[in-house]
Amino acid sequence: MSRTFLKMNGLGNDFVVIQTLTQSFEPTPAEIRAIAKRGDGGIGCDQVIAIDPPKAEGASAYVRFWNSDGEETGACGNGARCVAWLLMQSAGKDAVAFDTVAGRLSGVAAGDKLVTVDMGQPGLDWTQIPLSEEMNTERVELQVGPIDAPLVHTPVCVSMGNPHVVFFVDAPVSDAFAAGTGSLVEHHPLFPEGVNVGFAHIAARDHIQLKVWERGAGLTAACGTGACAAQVAAVRRGLTDRKARVEFETGSLVIEWRESDDHVIMTGPVSMDFAGQLPEAVAA
């Protein structure tokens, strides 16, 4: 039996979205990899998202996320905006809540195909990232490169439902640098569950330029949870104000780490690319 999907993206971070109200979707890691593969019969995406019927009172759906390597992940900021927009469109509402393995998220319409998502409170303790040993997550003892001249060093760690490490850099980094360094740090023993690796350049008190190497997905056009983590990290270091524009090469997100309730609020665009059917090989 064929399965339908929607192809969506947030700032070029792209997703295959499968709504399971009328179709089952319990994929193996190999099936996720086949869907995510670009070319050779795959649809191609950074993450696969399943929107399931709700499991709890007050939620419109239960949402699952997989990285392109086939591993299920806890959260995806750009994906969360796409999910919120779909749920609002189908219900004719301008606000929605949905559950994930990382907790409940809520979204509100912020304009034409603009969505604001409450990403909840960041995890700042070393056990929440998690790290393999106790450490101050505001100044983590980690560096890449020679001891006397490291390429990057002393990052901040933040959990946004998934683990992030944020290095502050003096200038925006190249794709080659982000891929080479990010791939090394992703599997560092300090991160038992792997880690998303951000390289943040502070352009102003309200402007961060960011590139992210995503755990299980590689270098992506934009990363919503990475933007949230970078802003939280910058505020913890006193480098930005509570609200800032986080810029990727494909566009920007506005991130606010609210002082009133410690929640991270993300506003950005969503785009509907096309609808289709999963290839038969991965439809079952």
Side-chain angles (χ1 to χ4, degrees):
M1 187 174 96
S2 62
R3 304 280 199 269
T4 59
F5 71 88
L6 300 173
K7 183 72 184 294
M8 301 185 72
N9 82 79
L11 295 180
N13 187 193
D14 60 344
F15 314 100
V16 167
V17 183
I18 294 136
Q19 300 178 81
T20 69
L21 188 62
T22 59
Q23 56 187 0
S24 64
F25 187 65
E26 299 297 335
T28 65
E31 287 167 341
I32 292 293
R33 290 193 293 270
I35 293 169
K37 187 174 184 181
R38 300 183 190 276
D40 290 334
I43 299 157
C45 64
D46 294 321
Q47 279 90 21
V48 177
I49 302 173
I51 303 179
D52 302 333
K55 296 181 179 180
E57 190 77 24
S60 295
Y62 185 87
V63 182
R64 295 174 288 158
F65 301 94
W66 292 266
N67 286 327
S68 57
D69 66 354
E71 291 296 312
E72 195 163 354
T73 186
C76 173
N78 288 319
R81 287 201 318 281
C82 290
V83 167
W85 184 82
L86 278 175
L87 293 172
M88 287 188 283
Q89 289 291 304
S90 62
K93 297 179 178 178
D94 59 8
V96 70
F98 55 93
D99 291 326
T100 72
V101 70
R104 179 161 293 186
L105 303 178
S106 60
V108 296
D112 183 29
K113 289 195 175 176
L114 271 178
V115 175
T116 296
V117 173
D118 183 340
M119 297 295 291
Q121 297 178 336
L124 306 180
D125 188 77
W126 71 277
T127 60
Q128 294 174 291
I129 307 302
L131 301 180
S132 59
E133 60 182 282
E134 185 172 355
M135 205 173 282
N136 173 10
T137 62
E138 191 179 317
R139 292 185 178 275
V140 172
E141 298 164 21
L142 176 67
Q143 66 178 43
V144 178
I147 291 174
D148 56 348
L151 299 172
V152 288
H153 64 91
T154 324
V156 180
C157 285
V158 179
S159 174
M160 289 303 311
N162 54 1
H164 286 267
V165 61
V166 180
F167 292 96
F168 292 102
V169 292
D170 293 334
V173 301
S174 67
D175 286 358
F177 181 92
T181 308
S183 59
L184 284 175
V185 175
E186 177 187 358
H187 301 294
H188 191 282
L190 185 60
F191 307 105
E193 296 180 7
V195 71
N196 299 282
V197 188
F199 302 92
H201 172 245
I202 307 300
R205 296 278 311 171
D206 62 353
H207 182 198
I208 299 172
Q209 292 171 292
L210 182 66
K211 200 176 290 284
V212 179
W213 173 269
E214 287 197 46
R215 173 186 67 165
L219 197 62
T220 53
C223 176
T225 57
C228 295
Q231 168 64 348
V232 169
V235 171
R236 294 181 75 193
R237 285 281 185 86
L239 300 174
T240 61
D241 299 326
R242 283 271 171 172
K243 188 174 185 178
R245 178 169 66 93
V246 180
E247 180 188 5
F248 298 93
E249 291 176 3
T250 52
S252 299
L253 300 171
V254 175
I255 310 294
E256 180 181 6
W257 186 17
R258 274 198 313 231
E259 200 161 7
S260 59
D261 59 5
D262 207 31
H263 283 220
V264 180
I265 311 301
M266 172 184 58
T267 301
V270 302
S271 177
M272 176 75 76
D273 298 336
F274 58 87
Q277 293 191 334
L278 294 179
E280 285 301 322
V282 296

